[in-house]
Amino acid sequence: MQELSDLHIHSNCSDGVLSPKEIIDRAVNNGIKVIAIADHDTISAYNKDLFRYAEDKGIMLIRAVEISTRYKGRGIHVLGYNFDLDNEELGNKLYTIRNARHTYLHSVASKLEMLGYIVNVDYLDKIEAVTKAHIALNIVENKDNEKLLIDTFGHIPTKGEFIETIMNEGCPAYVEKETINPNEACKLLREAHGKVVLAHPVAYKYEDGLTSEDILELVREMKPDGIEANYIYVDRNGNKINECEEWNKFAKEHNLITTIGSDFHKDDGVHPDIGLVNEDIKLNDNEINSIIDKLLN
């Protein structure tokens, strides 16, 4: 039987819905053998109990994190794998980045409230690694915002549509977050003995207008071990874009590891499920084993 893997999953320790153990259970149900929980700017999902639980379920659990960075005014995500969970410098920097999220929450909430939106700041402030996605979802799911949302969008938008229209750079509720650049994230991960992967380059093409040449320039600066080439991008309208072939070719041309990730947050019937079992992406055992070997050694 083909061994499936998913190296980019979010738990409720950041902006996912499932707990780390529930993610393992879903992976088992989906027939996945290797997973990595890559929460935003936090590694709090990982502890001895979780590793034991994964082992008991027959799951290989690889340590991971997704670090938020800024590059030329754009948000770039850096994935780290198989690093030392006890590395003090990495832990301290992730804490600083997460703390900056709460400063950002209060600043952006003020702007959103000036626009007329109701924001449940007390609820959001309790989320350790609060993100734009948390804030946007809180707004679009609040019935008190329904009239303003319909007046503004003509319908109730998705959280992604709200972010891209109201919260991103150049939008009315944009607030710049304290962050680090990709090179700083790479340095932190390498000093923690981890591997570095540029997350979902396809997303930067469609969300930020970056070309393949722009991404090559970024890669040359970062010098990552790999890129997340096997990834399905879903745009604001729910359209799925599969450019895996293009990014695998890019990786081969530039001697980069290729990884695979669903970027799973919740089961919404649109985005890829854990293990991308609902997508037409199938890596053979040799490819999976090669990825794992390169990330772990």
Side-chain angles (χ1 to χ4, degrees):
M1 186 179 78
Q2 184 185 36
E3 290 194 2
L4 301 177
S5 68
D6 189 341
L7 303 176
H8 188 167
I9 304 169
H10 292 278
S11 79
N12 60 3
C13 294
S14 64
D15 58 344
V17 170
L18 302 182
S19 70
K21 286 185 177 179
E22 287 172 332
I23 285 173
I24 290 171
D25 291 340
R26 191 176 185 92
V28 170
N29 290 337
N30 287 0
I32 314 306
K33 297 297 183 182
V34 184
I35 68 168
I37 297 172
D39 281 322
H40 294 283
D41 307 315
T42 180
I43 52 177
S44 60
Y46 292 101
N47 53 56
K48 290 180 180 178
D49 182 50
L50 186 68
F51 282 106
R52 280 194 297 267
Y53 189 80
E55 185 177 3
D56 289 344
K57 296 284 186 174
I59 296 286
M60 176 187 284
L61 179 61
I62 298 175
R63 302 183 292 276
V65 68
E66 186 173 21
I67 301 179
S68 307
T69 76
R70 295 292 289 177
Y71 174 78
K72 295 185 177 181
R74 296 175 172 91
I76 300 294
H77 291 175
V78 179
L79 290 162
Y81 293 98
N82 197 37
F83 45 82
D84 177 7
L85 286 170
D86 297 320
N87 182 273
E88 189 173 349
E89 187 174 357
L90 176 61
N92 289 341
K93 180 56 73 172
L94 291 177
Y95 176 82
T96 299
I97 295 171
R98 287 200 311 278
N99 216 35
R101 289 177 179 274
H102 291 269
T103 302
Y104 168 81
L105 164 64
H106 288 271
S107 298
V108 78
S110 294
K111 286 198 171 187
L112 288 166
E113 287 166 353
M114 287 176 64
L115 293 171
Y117 293 103
I118 307 299
V119 189
N120 190 339
V121 177
D122 290 340
Y123 165 76
L124 292 166
D125 222 4
K126 294 174 184 175
I127 301 171
E128 181 183 5
V130 65
T131 66
K132 281 184 181 180
H134 286 116
I135 300 167
L137 190 63
N138 183 262
I139 288 172
V140 300
E141 289 186 344
N142 188 335
K143 292 291 184 184
D144 292 335
N145 292 319
E146 190 171 290
K147 184 178 184 304
L148 179 55
L149 289 168
I150 292 173
D151 288 345
T152 303
F153 292 87
H155 59 275
I156 302 297
T158 64
K159 66 180 180 182
E161 188 177 0
F162 186 86
I163 289 169
E164 291 179 29
T165 307
I166 303 295
M167 299 175 69
N168 278 352
E169 190 165 2
C171 299
Y174 173 71
V175 173
E176 185 174 359
K177 287 188 290 187
E178 179 186 345
T179 187
I180 61 176
N181 64 49
N183 288 341
E184 290 172 316
C186 293
K187 183 173 183 287
L188 279 170
L189 290 165
R190 291 192 180 105
E191 289 182 350
H193 310 293
K195 289 296 198 309
V196 175
V197 171
L198 175 63
H200 43 61
V202 63
Y204 311 130
K205 176 178 176 180
Y206 288 94
E207 289 182 10
D208 301 292
L210 294 185
T211 65
S212 296
E213 289 73 24
D214 294 327
I215 293 171
L216 177 57
E217 180 183 350
L218 174 60
V219 164
R220 285 174 172 161
E221 289 187 29
M222 287 176 58
K223 297 180 175 62
D225 298 289
I227 63 170
E228 193 175 29
N230 300 292
Y231 182 97
I232 300 293
Y233 176 71
V234 182
D235 69 14
R236 64 162 67 179
N237 298 315
N239 298 311
K240 293 186 178 183
I241 298 168
N242 183 340
E243 293 188 354
C244 299
E245 185 176 347
E246 174 184 333
W247 292 107
N248 274 279
K249 181 182 177 185
F250 179 98
K252 186 175 182 180
E253 289 173 349
H254 302 291
N255 196 31
L256 297 165
I257 300 170
T258 59
T259 63
I260 180 168
S262 64
D263 207 353
F264 179 85
H265 289 74
K266 66 177 181 177
D267 181 12
D268 62 4
V270 177
H271 291 78
D273 197 351
I274 289 177
L276 296 102
V277 292
N278 57 332
E279 306 297 338
D280 188 24
I281 296 183
K282 298 293 184 290
L283 303 183
N284 62 45
D285 290 348
N286 288 336
E287 290 171 318
I288 294 294
N289 291 334
S290 177
I291 291 170
I292 295 167
D293 183 64
K294 288 173 181 175
L295 290 180
L296 298 185
N297 296 297

